[in-house]
Structure formats: C-alpha cells, structure tokens
Amino acid sequence: MFVNSVQESRRAKQSVGDAPPARSSSAVLIMRRSAQDRARLHAVWPQGSRPANALVELAAQALAEADTLARRAPATDQHPELTLLAFPLADATPGTPGGAIAMIVPQGLGAHSPQQTHPSAEPGKGDEVLRLVTVISEHGRFEPAARAFANELAEALGASRVAIGIYDSHATRVRAVSGAATIAEQAPVVRGLSNAMDEAIDQAATVVYPSREGDSALSIAHARYFDAHGPVSICTVPLLVATDENRELIGALSVEFADRAMLEAQVIETVETVAAIAGPMLDMKYQQDRAIGGRMVGSLMRSSRRVFGPRRTGVKIAAGVTLALALVAMLWPVTYRVTAHARLEGEVQRVLAAPVDGYIGQVHVRPGERVQAGQPVVELDDRELSLERSKWRSEVAQIEKQYGEALSKEDQTRIAIQQSKLAQARAQLASVDEQLRRSRLVAPFDGIVIEGDLSQSLGAPVKRGETLVKIAPADRFRVIVEVDERDIGSVAIGQQGRLLLTALEGGTVDIQVSRITPIASNRDGRNFFEVEARATNHPAGSRPGLEGVAKIETEERSLAWTLGHRAWQWLRESIWRWKV
C-alpha cells in the first residue's frame, strides 16, 4: 500500500532528516510545459500534505539530468531506513518539456534499485504505482496515453473495467476505457460512467459503491449504474492538478470490479494514489493535444471556476462589492462637458486700412503695445499729397485773383466762369487736405495693438484698403471655442463653461455661449464650428490672442456613455464603411 496513514504523512517535515515516519510514504510530481519554463510542483501525495524539500530537489535533479536517481536516508529514532527514488518521465532530455516523480519508499514496501523500475521487474507496491503512471509518458498523444494507462491499471488491480473522463463544458466526457479501442458516447455504459464521474467531480470526493460504513459522499449515479450494469463494485476518484487551494478538477478515474461485493480500503487508497500522480500528467497530455481555440476556452472555463467556485469567499465578496460599486458608478449621471481648443479675442476689433495708394512713412506702435484714443499709429508718406496740395492752393489763389478782376469790370459772363473754376479748385484742395488727414492713422479707442508689425516695412508700397493694423480693447474679451463637428449637436446658446488659458496660472475664465456659427471651418484636416462665448471674469494678464482649452457643460449623461461614446462612434463609422 502506497500510503497507510494520511494523518501521519501530513506531519512530514521539509528534509530527509524529518521525513515521514515509518509505515508511510510520500510522492511529488514536478512538471514544466516548455524548455524556458521553470519546473513547478504539480502534485503531492497525500493530498494537502506539505511536500518534503528533499523530494522536490531530487525530482528537479532527475529532470535536469534526464536520469533515474536514488538516495538512501539512514535509520533514526524517528523512522527506519528510507529510500528516496526519482526518475524523469518517458525519454526526457535536459532542457526539454517534461516532468519527474520522486517518492519516499520505506523498507518493507519492496523498493528496488532505479534500474528495476521497468515493468518486467518484480515491483514493490511503490514501484508498481510509478510503473503505472510512467505508462502515460511513453505516448505522445492523450488518447493513446490514457488508453494504455487504463489497460495497465486494469491489469494491475484485476479490475473488469477502468475508465478515464475529462471534465469539459460542464460535463464529463469519457475519453478512454480499458480493453476498448473506440468509445461509443451514446452507449448506456458510457453514459452511466459519465454520470458517475460527474457525481464524484461535483462533490470533489471519492465515491465508492456499494458504500462503506461511514461514507458521507452521495452515490445516486453510482447506484443507478449498479442497477443497470451490476452487480459490480465501482470506485470513482476525481483527477486534480496542483496541490494548493487553487487546484482544479480536470476529470475522474473510475475503476470497476465484477467479483467484489465490497472494495477493500487498500484498493481504494491505491486508486487514489495513482489518480493523484496521474492527474497532472493526463492533463498536460490533454492540453497539448487541444487546438489553440480549445486551450483558450479551457483556460477561460478554469478561470471562471476559480472566480465562481466555493473557495476564497472573502475575496469573492470583496470582488462582488467592488463590481457592484463600479457598475453603479458607471450608471451614475454626470455632467457631460464638451472639450475643445479655444482662444481669447477682443470684444470688438478695429481694422486700420490704407485710405489711398501710397507708401508707409512712419510707424509709431508695434503689436502688443497699448494705445489711447486719437494716438497716431501709422503715417503714410505724404510728400506727393503735399505737392498736390501746394498746386491746388496756388490754383485757388490764381482763380481768386481772376475772379476779383472780373468783379471790378462787372463782366457777368467772366464772373460766372471764374466762380465755377474757383469752386472746382477749392473742392480739389479740400480733397487733398482730406487725404492728407487720412494718411495719418490714429487709434479709434483705448486698446492694444493685436496685429500689424510695420516697423520693418518703412517705405513699402501699400494699396488702398490694405489692412495695416488691428486694435482691440484691452479689458473686454470674447472667447472663440472650436467645437468638433461630432459635439456641436450637444452645444446650445446659454450654456456655461470654463476656459483654462495656457499662458496664465491664475485660475480659469467663466464663459457663457452667446453665438454658434452655422458654417463649419476646416483646419489641419478637421472640421469644427466656431462657438462664441462671453467671458464674465478675466484673470490678471489676460490679453487678446491667448489660447487654451475650454469645457462647455451640456447635459447629464451616464459615466459609461461619457467614457465610451467616442469609441462607439468610431466603431459605428467603421462598420458603416465596411458594410456591403
């Protein structure tokens, strides 16, 4: 018997010197899934016991060296002489995927040298367990490995039938039956075995029928199997991977006897021992055979069982509360704010343009400088106009003289002619005087120059109507918000918002939407609408031309919509583009 006392095995320590006491054995299975993966502990017997460090280290050494190893621990007052046996599974080579088994075999259980673990040797009971599970590693695919293992176990135990099932998609599917090359899943025997395996897996416990005295596991499906295919004795053990609280049920092993009315405890313990070691090996073969999609589904199912399973109740309650709070938070209404680029402009802007064709004469200000009403800003070159004014003044003086002579002679015809010429000359002179006056551009109000640096353009020609300077008030502003076309439907006149100016550190500007331009503009590959807003307060240092980011408060929306509507718009547009 591989294990005689679970209670004694759980008192095993972490070194050979503290190995399990006499009449007990321990075994560990380590495996790695890839050459880069570190070997990890996959199973320990007895289940739930603390594995001895000496066993784990010996198994890792056997896997690394790809060789069978044996080590003896001398007898002490606490235990007799023990044999530690470890060997790699199948034809493992250093640096490749695989696994190794290590076990403690007390004297008297028939332990042999490492070379005697071949099936042809006369094995002890510990060796027999190792020989049985080694059969799995001798095959590359899951189906042949499981079938060979079932056949070997049936022969070793004298069982009439051994079946192996894999738990998948909330049901157990029988994948191997001793003595059968193929499996008819709809056959009554196979369906009965599948139900019996489900019963053991659901309870995560060994189920034996006919039941022994003191058994607490339910055996309803086993009783039905007995009634339909008996009289038989059947023992079903769940197959587990890992050894801590996160171990997973991956299937079940059923052993059936036709000539035993009641199964002995020794047989049941042997089946449990074999199942504990064989479970991780069968699971690795099964996972390697599955397609990528199947592996992903299996991983998802195992993760869901960890999440919704019975363990870690406190963690699950905390996760549930957190999820509920997150759901409430996502549905909580919040004010949706449209965020867009914005700039600060003067409430009004006055353009000073060239009144006539001419040349720039003098420049008195530059952009950014403050001006007062009536202050000269730009003067055009007036030399030609001054010459023309002199010409017309002379013309007016000459005509006035001729007009006086006509009056003295009382020549009515000549008087009329001179009066007409005098009026025409005076009109020309007045026009030149007006042009001279307009060639001197002055500030229309107190403000700041926001555009027009002409200091480097003295003497440059200008055309009539050409913009020379722009002036805006220094203390009255408006905000222009460039709202994206996807958000313009949420903006309405009267909505409030705030503006953060990049250049200023002293707070934000309160704004209110006053006008929405009905025509879109395009710049830098994007369409936007200019939304005009009034600024109700101005931090120190505000001036036209400053830029920043504005947020306009629109309406209440759920937090989920606020965070995800952009992604939904993109998805909807993408589907529409690709839709046939």
Side-chain angles (χ1 to χ4, degrees), residues 2 35 54 130 218 231 240 251 281 294 383 421 455 555 557:
F2 186 63
L130 295 178
L218 298 177
L240 305 175
M281 300 171 62
R383 286 175 294 182
K421 289 182 178 182
S455 60
E555 56 187 335
R557 297 273 194 170

Side-chain angles (χ1 to χ4, degrees), residues 165-173 198 201-202 249-252 305:
I166 297 297
Y167 183 79
D168 193 9
S169 301
H170 305 288
T172 304
R173 179 185 173 192
D198 284 337
I201 291 173
D202 289 341
L249 293 165
I250 57 99
R305 288 197 294 271

Side-chain angles (χ1 to χ4, degrees), residues 125-181:
K125 295 182 180 180
D127 294 334
E128 181 68 15
V129 172
L130 295 178
R131 185 183 69 79
L132 288 172
V133 297
T134 305
V135 172
I136 300 173
S137 63
E138 294 175 350
H139 297 80
R141 304 294 298 275
F142 169 76
E143 298 286 356
R147 190 162 51 248
F149 172 69
N151 291 332
E152 289 287 338
L153 184 59
E155 181 180 355
L157 297 178
S160 59
R161 182 182 290 118
V162 173
I164 298 172
I166 297 297
Y167 183 79
D168 193 9
S169 301
H170 305 288
T172 304
R173 179 185 173 192
V174 178
R175 302 298 299 270
V177 177
S178 60

Side-chain angles (χ1 to χ4, degrees), residues 344 477 499 501 504-510 537-543:
L344 202 62
F477 304 99
L499 168 66
L501 296 172
L504 301 181
E505 299 180 357
T508 58
V509 179
D510 296 327
N537 68 302
H538 312 293
S542 298
R543 60 180 60 194

Side-chain angles (χ1 to χ4, degrees), residues 25 31 57 86 88 93 112 178 180 197 203 209 241 246 327 351 366 377 392 402 504 518 535:
S25 298
M31 304 195 79
E57 293 173 358
T93 57
H112 297 274
S178 60
M197 292 177 179
Q203 300 178 79
Y209 194 87
V241 295
N246 290 324
L327 182 60
V351 174
R366 299 179 65 179
V377 177
W392 286 109
Q402 293 174 357
L504 301 181

Side-chain angles (χ1 to χ4, degrees), residues 238-357:
L239 297 176
L240 305 175
V241 295
T243 58
D244 57 10
E245 62 180 357
N246 290 324
R247 61 181 183 267
E248 300 291 340
L249 293 165
I250 57 99
L253 171 66
S254 289
V255 181
E256 178 182 336
F257 298 91
D259 57 351
R260 300 187 187 183
M262 183 73 70
L263 293 179
E264 297 86 352
Q266 178 180 352
V267 174
I268 297 172
E269 289 185 5
T270 301
V271 175
E272 290 176 337
T273 301
V274 174
I277 303 298
M281 300 171 62
L282 290 170
D283 180 60
M284 176 171 286
K285 294 287 184 183
Y286 179 70
Q287 296 300 333
Q288 289 175 347
D289 277 3
R290 301 181 75 183
I292 295 178
R295 295 181 190 179
M296 294 177 62
V297 172
S299 177
L300 182 61
M301 293 296 296
R302 291 187 179 187
S303 299
S304 66
R305 288 197 294 271
R306 282 196 294 269
V307 173
F308 299 105
R311 298 185 179 93
R312 294 185 175 179
T313 304
V315 175
K316 290 179 174 62
I317 292 176
V321 172
T322 302
L323 181 61
L325 292 176
L327 182 60
V328 171
M330 295 301 288
L331 298 178
W332 193 267
V334 296
T335 301
Y336 174 57
R337 294 176 175 84
V338 173
T339 303
H341 176 267
R343 64 181 184 273
L344 202 62
E345 293 185 352
E347 188 177 51
V348 294
Q349 295 184 8
R350 184 64 58 85
V351 174
L352 302 183
V356 295
D357 296 344

Side-chain angles (χ1 to χ4, degrees), residues 464-481:
R464 182 178 179 180
E466 181 179 343
T467 299
L468 300 179
V469 176
K470 284 185 179 180
I471 299 177
D475 55 354
R476 301 194 309 275
F477 304 99
R478 64 174 181 174
V479 179
I480 302 299
V481 185

